[in-house]
Short mmCIF file of all heavy atoms in Angstrom, two decimals:
data_model
loop_
_atom_site.label_atom_id
_atom_site.label_comp_id
_atom_site.label_asym_id
_atom_site.label_seq_id
_atom_site.Cartn_x
_atom_site.Cartn_y
_atom_site.Cartn_z
N LYS A 111 -60.50 48.92 -132.49
CA LYS A 111 -59.35 49.85 -132.91
C LYS A 111 -58.06 49.15 -133.38
O LYS A 111 -57.65 48.31 -132.61
CB LYS A 111 -59.21 50.92 -131.75
CG LYS A 111 -58.15 51.96 -132.09
CD LYS A 111 -57.87 52.85 -130.90
CE LYS A 111 -56.90 53.91 -131.26
NZ LYS A 111 -56.60 54.83 -130.18
N ASP A 112 -57.65 49.45 -134.47
CA ASP A 112 -56.41 48.92 -134.96
C ASP A 112 -56.41 47.36 -135.11
O ASP A 112 -55.35 46.75 -135.03
CB ASP A 112 -55.19 49.39 -134.10
CG ASP A 112 -55.09 50.92 -134.06
OD1 ASP A 112 -55.46 51.60 -135.06
OD2 ASP A 112 -54.62 51.49 -133.03
N THR A 113 -57.54 46.87 -135.17
CA THR A 113 -57.78 45.35 -135.33
C THR A 113 -58.41 45.05 -136.51
O THR A 113 -59.63 45.57 -136.76
CB THR A 113 -58.40 44.73 -133.99
OG1 THR A 113 -57.75 45.19 -132.85
CG2 THR A 113 -58.45 43.20 -134.23
N LYS A 114 -57.93 44.17 -137.41
CA LYS A 114 -58.66 43.83 -138.59
C LYS A 114 -59.13 42.31 -138.42
O LYS A 114 -58.30 41.35 -138.09
CB LYS A 114 -57.72 43.87 -139.80
CG LYS A 114 -58.39 43.56 -141.11
CD LYS A 114 -57.43 43.77 -142.22
CE LYS A 114 -58.25 43.55 -143.62
NZ LYS A 114 -57.29 43.75 -144.74
N ALA A 115 -60.45 42.17 -138.55
CA ALA A 115 -60.97 40.86 -138.47
C ALA A 115 -60.52 39.97 -139.64
O ALA A 115 -60.54 40.35 -140.74
CB ALA A 115 -62.44 41.01 -138.39
N LYS A 116 -60.05 38.72 -139.21
CA LYS A 116 -59.58 37.83 -140.27
C LYS A 116 -60.54 36.61 -140.32
O LYS A 116 -60.60 35.82 -139.45
CB LYS A 116 -58.21 37.34 -139.89
CG LYS A 116 -57.50 36.45 -140.87
CD LYS A 116 -56.10 36.05 -140.45
CE LYS A 116 -55.53 35.18 -141.48
NZ LYS A 116 -54.13 34.78 -140.98
N VAL A 117 -61.08 36.44 -141.49
CA VAL A 117 -62.02 35.22 -141.76
C VAL A 117 -61.23 33.96 -141.87
O VAL A 117 -60.16 33.93 -142.54
CB VAL A 117 -62.81 35.45 -143.04
CG1 VAL A 117 -63.66 34.23 -143.36
CG2 VAL A 117 -63.55 36.75 -142.94
N ILE A 118 -61.65 32.93 -141.14
CA ILE A 118 -60.94 31.67 -141.14
C ILE A 118 -61.22 30.88 -142.55
O ILE A 118 -62.44 31.14 -143.09
CB ILE A 118 -61.32 30.79 -139.96
CG1 ILE A 118 -62.81 30.39 -140.01
CG2 ILE A 118 -60.87 31.37 -138.69
CD1 ILE A 118 -63.24 29.35 -138.90
N ALA A 119 -60.40 30.06 -142.96
CA ALA A 119 -60.68 29.32 -144.21
C ALA A 119 -61.61 28.13 -143.93
O ALA A 119 -61.27 27.46 -142.91
CB ALA A 119 -59.36 28.81 -144.72
N ILE A 120 -62.61 28.07 -144.56
CA ILE A 120 -63.58 27.00 -144.34
C ILE A 120 -63.45 25.87 -145.22
O ILE A 120 -63.43 24.61 -144.85
CB ILE A 120 -65.04 27.45 -144.35
CG1 ILE A 120 -65.26 28.58 -143.38
CG2 ILE A 120 -66.06 26.33 -144.37
CD1 ILE A 120 -65.21 27.98 -141.97
N GLY A 121 -63.19 25.93 -146.44
CA GLY A 121 -63.04 24.90 -147.44
C GLY A 121 -64.39 24.26 -147.85
O GLY A 121 -65.47 24.83 -147.47
N ASN A 122 -64.39 23.18 -148.39
CA ASN A 122 -65.55 22.45 -148.78
C ASN A 122 -65.70 21.13 -148.05
O ASN A 122 -64.79 20.46 -147.59
CB ASN A 122 -65.48 22.13 -150.32
CG ASN A 122 -65.41 23.38 -151.06
OD1 ASN A 122 -66.22 24.32 -150.94
ND2 ASN A 122 -64.48 23.44 -151.95
N ALA A 123 -67.05 20.67 -147.94
CA ALA A 123 -67.38 19.42 -147.21
C ALA A 123 -66.78 18.27 -148.00
O ALA A 123 -66.77 18.33 -149.22
CB ALA A 123 -68.87 19.30 -147.15
N PRO A 124 -66.25 17.20 -147.34
CA PRO A 124 -65.76 16.01 -147.96
C PRO A 124 -66.92 15.36 -148.81
O PRO A 124 -68.02 15.48 -148.43
CB PRO A 124 -65.20 15.17 -146.90
CG PRO A 124 -65.99 15.70 -145.68
CD PRO A 124 -66.19 17.17 -145.85
N SER A 125 -66.56 14.63 -149.76
CA SER A 125 -67.58 14.00 -150.60
C SER A 125 -68.09 12.75 -149.83
O SER A 125 -67.43 12.20 -148.87
CB SER A 125 -66.99 13.52 -151.86
OG SER A 125 -65.86 12.63 -151.61
N GLY A 126 -69.26 12.30 -150.20
CA GLY A 126 -69.80 11.11 -149.54
C GLY A 126 -70.60 11.43 -148.26
O GLY A 126 -70.39 12.57 -147.72
N SER A 127 -71.32 10.53 -147.78
CA SER A 127 -72.01 10.75 -146.49
C SER A 127 -71.19 10.05 -145.45
O SER A 127 -70.77 8.96 -145.54
CB SER A 127 -73.40 9.99 -146.58
OG SER A 127 -74.05 10.09 -145.33
N GLY A 128 -71.06 10.84 -144.31
CA GLY A 128 -70.29 10.32 -143.30
C GLY A 128 -71.15 10.39 -141.87
O GLY A 128 -70.47 10.75 -140.83
N ILE A 129 -72.47 10.22 -142.02
CA ILE A 129 -73.24 10.46 -140.87
C ILE A 129 -72.87 9.54 -139.72
O ILE A 129 -72.80 9.95 -138.51
CB ILE A 129 -74.78 10.37 -141.16
CG1 ILE A 129 -75.07 11.53 -142.17
CG2 ILE A 129 -75.70 10.36 -140.02
CD1 ILE A 129 -76.51 11.40 -142.74
N ASP A 130 -72.73 8.24 -139.98
CA ASP A 130 -72.42 7.35 -138.91
C ASP A 130 -70.95 7.62 -138.29
O ASP A 130 -70.86 7.68 -136.99
CB ASP A 130 -72.32 5.87 -139.55
CG ASP A 130 -73.66 5.37 -139.91
OD1 ASP A 130 -74.64 5.89 -139.43
OD2 ASP A 130 -73.73 4.41 -140.69
N GLU A 131 -70.08 8.11 -139.08
CA GLU A 131 -68.73 8.52 -138.45
C GLU A 131 -68.99 9.80 -137.64
O GLU A 131 -68.42 9.93 -136.59
CB GLU A 131 -67.68 8.72 -139.68
CG GLU A 131 -66.40 9.12 -139.10
CD GLU A 131 -65.37 9.37 -140.13
OE1 GLU A 131 -65.78 9.38 -141.34
OE2 GLU A 131 -64.17 9.62 -139.87
N GLY A 132 -69.80 10.62 -138.20
CA GLY A 132 -70.03 11.95 -137.52
C GLY A 132 -70.71 11.70 -136.14
O GLY A 132 -70.40 12.37 -135.13
N LYS A 133 -71.66 10.70 -136.08
CA LYS A 133 -72.24 10.30 -134.73
C LYS A 133 -71.27 9.81 -133.77
O LYS A 133 -71.22 10.15 -132.58
CB LYS A 133 -73.27 9.32 -135.00
CG LYS A 133 -74.17 8.86 -133.81
CD LYS A 133 -75.25 7.88 -134.09
CE LYS A 133 -76.07 7.57 -132.77
NZ LYS A 133 -77.07 6.67 -133.11
N ALA A 134 -70.32 9.06 -134.33
CA ALA A 134 -69.24 8.46 -133.39
C ALA A 134 -68.31 9.61 -132.86
O ALA A 134 -67.98 9.66 -131.69
CB ALA A 134 -68.47 7.49 -134.16
N VAL A 135 -67.98 10.51 -133.75
CA VAL A 135 -67.13 11.71 -133.38
C VAL A 135 -67.92 12.59 -132.36
O VAL A 135 -67.47 13.15 -131.49
CB VAL A 135 -66.66 12.48 -134.54
CG1 VAL A 135 -65.70 13.64 -134.15
CG2 VAL A 135 -65.82 11.49 -135.44
N PHE A 136 -69.22 12.78 -132.62
CA PHE A 136 -70.14 13.58 -131.77
C PHE A 136 -69.95 13.04 -130.46
O PHE A 136 -69.96 13.91 -129.56
CB PHE A 136 -71.48 13.45 -132.40
CG PHE A 136 -72.60 14.21 -131.64
CD1 PHE A 136 -72.90 15.55 -131.96
CD2 PHE A 136 -73.37 13.60 -130.61
CE1 PHE A 136 -73.82 16.16 -131.28
CE2 PHE A 136 -74.39 14.32 -129.89
CZ PHE A 136 -74.73 15.63 -130.30
N GLN A 137 -70.05 11.74 -130.26
CA GLN A 137 -69.91 11.06 -128.90
C GLN A 137 -68.58 11.34 -128.30
O GLN A 137 -68.39 11.52 -127.18
CB GLN A 137 -70.32 9.59 -128.99
CG GLN A 137 -71.81 9.43 -129.44
CD GLN A 137 -72.80 9.99 -128.60
OE1 GLN A 137 -72.57 10.26 -127.36
NE2 GLN A 137 -73.97 10.18 -129.07
N LYS A 138 -67.57 11.08 -129.14
CA LYS A 138 -66.14 11.33 -128.71
C LYS A 138 -65.89 12.58 -128.17
O LYS A 138 -65.14 12.81 -127.22
CB LYS A 138 -65.22 10.98 -129.93
CG LYS A 138 -63.78 11.00 -129.54
CD LYS A 138 -62.88 10.63 -130.85
CE LYS A 138 -61.37 10.66 -130.48
NZ LYS A 138 -60.59 10.37 -131.64
#
Side-chain angles (χ1 to χ4, degrees):
K111 184 180 180 182
D112 300 328
T113 303
K114 185 174 182 181
K116 184 178 180 181
V117 177
I118 62 172
I120 295 298
N122 298 313
S125 60
S127 175
I129 292 177
D130 289 341
E131 182 181 7
K133 182 177 181 179
V135 181
F136 181 88
Q137 300 298 340
K138 181 178 181 179

